[in-house]
Amino acid sequence: MINKIRFIFITCIALCTIAGVASAQSSDDSVLVDLKTVDPELLPYFPRWIVTEPNLQLQVYQTFILDGRDKRNLDMNDIIVTCAPFKDPVNPVYNILLIECGKERMVASEIDAKMRKLSYKISDPKRPYAYRDIPKSTPPSSAVSDAILDYMNTPTNVTHAISASAFEQTLKLGKTDFWLQSVVGTEGSGYTFFAPGEAKVLLRRPLYVNPDPESRPAIPNLINFHIGFGYRLTDTSNGLLSFIPERRLNAGRGGKGVFGFDLHAPFHPQFGVSFHIEVPMASIDSTKTIDMPTYAMYTRTGFDGRDMQIAPLIRTTGYAAVFYNWWVDPEVPENFFRFDLGVNYTDIRETVVIGNPLSNRYLQPNSNNGIGLYHPVEFTDWLYAKIEYRNQKNFPFGISMQYSNNFLLSRVYLPLLGDWLYLDARYAYSTISDERARPFDVSTFMLSPVVRFNF
């Protein structure tokens, strides 16, 4: 019974969404993928052994050669198998995470694609071949640690991986490299959660594998690409979240096209370029009626002395930046930093609500009666900067601070219960001076549990 409970704590992450339509982490969104050490209490649950049967050694060796691996890195007498923890210790079934041949390795997805028949024999519970178990006290190699931690957080060897919070939900689409992510807010512009009145759905996938064996454990892919669409949120009430200021921004009708990527430099993968853009798919049409209760508004007195109802629309947003990943000690990569520096663009257009209050209402974008068009003008309007720190050992937590669109957006996450329940808190603070204050820029604080589930 105890073994089953500990197995649940090691291999399962529960799912619990508390609000809204909602990354990431990534790859990025993911918060612990760069670990290379394993908690000693978890290690005994990952069976490992060395294959010593010559015929089987030769077959594995030839598979690596046929896959184009460098012969200088291969060692037929050093073939190590690592498996996932047993679901049932009485009737063990081996689920292979990793096969190493010298300095080269294949993870679960590669094994399934390139040596499926051979893996059936290797994973046979009776292990009908010569082998030697590796003592549980023996520290795992860097490659083994990476595979175990991928298995725990962003696995390649499970059918599905799900994480959820009020800010975002992420789903791994089967045994593929595709990740589906739903996000609430436009945090690249400093607007978190409901503040901008929009959300998005993204499809993420790595496009190019890192060929450098030294940096590949920490940075497995040189290009990480995402594409998707944005949509407007229609509820202007926070419901039970009454402690959050009511939103004052709106997304326009027609949705948005979303596109972006992280591009790591082949000559130095720790360095790279990040790009993200969200573009409206439809213009502001003053001939179409609107549903008044779905728009956040405020009142302003025009130049003619009359009060106007203003509905501000967030339009094109995006950023471009260079980034650098840094581990304080690459040999023991517990402390991870990422630095981003670049430019951001945020376009917000005020519109006047016109029409008969008792019948149809419309948005008028081209009035010059005191309404504004807000976009970067000064240096601080353009600046995009972000620093992120992660502690990735026994008590994993993270802190980040971002400056963009004159907002200071901070984030803290930390574990509450094991590795399956976290707390994520975010605070967006407007730094615009009183002289330039905009009525839709309201500081926002929001926290949410984060829950994960793998199966």
Side-chain angles (χ1 to χ4, degrees):
M1 182 64 180
I2 294 177
N3 285 336
K4 289 185 178 180
I5 293 175
R6 296 195 69 180
F7 173 78
I8 292 174
F9 272 90
I10 294 171
T11 60
C12 294
I13 301 174
L15 176 65
C16 174
T17 305
I18 70 166
V21 182
S23 196
Q25 123 264 308
S26 67
S27 34
D28 327 302
D29 284 76
S30 48
V31 296
L32 304 175
V33 296
D34 299 314
L35 270 166
K36 290 184 181 178
T37 58
V38 180
D39 188 329
E41 293 184 1
L42 303 184
L43 188 57
Y45 292 88
F46 293 85
R48 296 180 295 150
W49 64 87
I50 298 173
V51 175
T52 58
E53 181 173 315
N55 184 46
L56 189 54
Q57 287 177 329
L58 180 60
Q59 294 180 66
V60 173
Y61 178 81
Q62 289 176 332
T63 302
F64 275 82
I65 291 178
L66 292 174
D67 192 45
R69 306 301 177 93
D70 191 341
K71 290 184 179 180
R72 294 171 295 182
N73 295 332
L74 300 176
D75 185 353
M76 192 167 66
N77 296 312
D78 184 22
I79 295 175
I80 300 176
V81 179
T82 302
C83 293
F86 297 141
K87 291 184 178 180
D88 184 356
V90 178
N91 299 301
V93 176
Y94 293 109
N95 185 4
I96 300 177
L97 296 177
L98 182 83
I99 295 179
E100 297 174 84
C101 181
K103 297 180 180 180
E104 294 289 340
R105 63 184 184 175
M106 287 190 184
V107 296
S109 56
E110 295 174 305
I111 294 169
D112 186 62
K114 299 169 183 177
M115 60 166 71
R116 179 178 298 180
K117 291 184 178 180
L118 195 58
S119 69
Y120 289 155
K121 181 176 181 179
I122 296 174
S123 62
D124 188 326
K126 296 181 180 180
R127 289 189 283 183
Y129 52 85
Y131 66 94
R132 185 175 73 253
D133 281 318
I134 297 176
K136 296 175 182 178
S137 60
T138 303
S141 68
S142 172
V144 171
S145 300
D146 291 337
I148 290 175
L149 289 155
D150 280 344
Y151 173 74
M152 300 287 286
N153 299 282
T154 54
T156 58
N157 67 307
V158 298
T159 304
H160 296 289
I162 301 173
S163 66
S165 74
F167 301 105
E168 60 189 60
Q169 293 94 42
T170 304
L171 168 67
K172 182 177 185 293
L173 300 179
K175 292 186 177 181
T176 71
D177 290 327
F178 289 94
W179 292 78
L180 191 64
Q181 186 177 32
S182 175
V183 183
V184 174
T186 307
E187 295 198 345
S189 296
Y191 298 116
T192 189
F193 201 47
F194 287 152
E198 63 181 358
K200 58 190 69 72
V201 175
L202 304 175
L203 184 66
R204 296 182 177 274
R205 188 184 191 278
L207 293 184
Y208 189 76
V209 175
N210 182 4
D212 177 26
E214 293 187 5
S215 61
R216 187 166 54 213
I219 305 172
N221 302 288
L222 294 183
I223 302 178
N224 292 290
F225 165 83
H226 63 268
I227 192 171
F229 64 90
Y231 57 94
R232 67 185 305 265
L233 301 176
T234 58
D235 191 357
T236 58
S237 171
N238 292 333
L240 297 177
L241 306 175
S242 57
F243 62 91
I244 303 175
E246 290 189 0
R247 69 174 176 91
R248 297 191 181 183
L249 274 175
N250 307 276
R253 68 172 85 227
K256 288 184 175 182
V258 182
F259 167 80
F261 59 83
D262 274 4
L263 173 63
H264 295 259
F267 56 87
H268 191 64
Q270 292 84 349
F271 173 81
V273 177
S274 182
F275 178 82
H276 179 86
I277 190 169
E278 303 178 20
V279 181
M281 303 299 289
S283 60
I284 303 173
D285 190 344
S286 59
T287 65
K288 293 185 178 180
T289 60
I290 64 168
D291 184 8
M292 284 279 289
T294 68
Y295 282 82
M297 302 179 188
Y298 47 83
T299 302
R300 173 179 296 163
T301 301
F303 297 148
D304 57 5
R306 298 180 180 180
D307 287 342
M308 303 178 295
Q309 285 292 103
I310 303 294
L313 304 183
I314 183 168
R315 305 298 286 167
T316 301
T317 65
Y319 60 87
V322 294
F323 66 82
Y324 190 80
N325 295 331
W326 179 53
W327 290 265
V328 176
D329 183 357
E331 298 300 322
V332 186
E334 300 170 9
N335 302 294
F336 167 78
F337 288 87
R338 170 164 167 154
F339 306 90
D340 291 71
L341 182 63
V343 297
N344 90 94
Y345 182 82
T346 302
D347 177 359
I348 296 175
R349 181 181 294 271
E350 290 184 325
T351 63
V352 180
V353 180
I354 60 175
N356 189 332
L358 300 179
S359 57
N360 297 330
R361 307 301 295 273
Y362 306 85
L363 296 182
Q364 180 66 46
N366 55 2
S367 170
N368 61 359
N369 191 20
I371 67 172
L373 170 62
Y374 300 94
H375 56 81
V377 176
E378 299 183 0
F379 171 77
T380 55
D381 301 339
W382 288 100
L383 180 62
Y384 176 86
K386 184 176 182 179
I387 180 172
E388 178 183 6
Y389 166 75
R390 296 185 223 153
N391 181 287
Q392 304 181 135
K393 197 179 180 184
N394 296 329
F395 186 79
F397 69 92
I399 303 172
S400 67
M401 188 74 70
Q402 173 191 292
Y403 181 88
S404 178
N405 185 36
N406 292 288
F407 266 93
L408 199 59
L409 175 62
S410 56
R411 179 194 181 194
V412 177
Y413 67 83
L414 50 86
L416 293 181
L417 186 60
D419 274 342
W420 61 272
L421 180 61
Y422 284 74
L423 181 68
D424 190 344
R426 308 187 190 192
Y427 179 56
Y429 172 73
S430 176
T431 63
I432 296 182
S433 62
D434 292 340
E435 295 78 13
R436 301 181 60 212
R438 304 179 297 189
F440 46 79
D441 287 340
V442 179
S443 298
T444 304
F445 173 76
M446 175 62 186
L447 54 82
S448 167
V450 183
V451 224
R452 294 181 175 83
F453 178 54
N454 296 338
F455 61 94

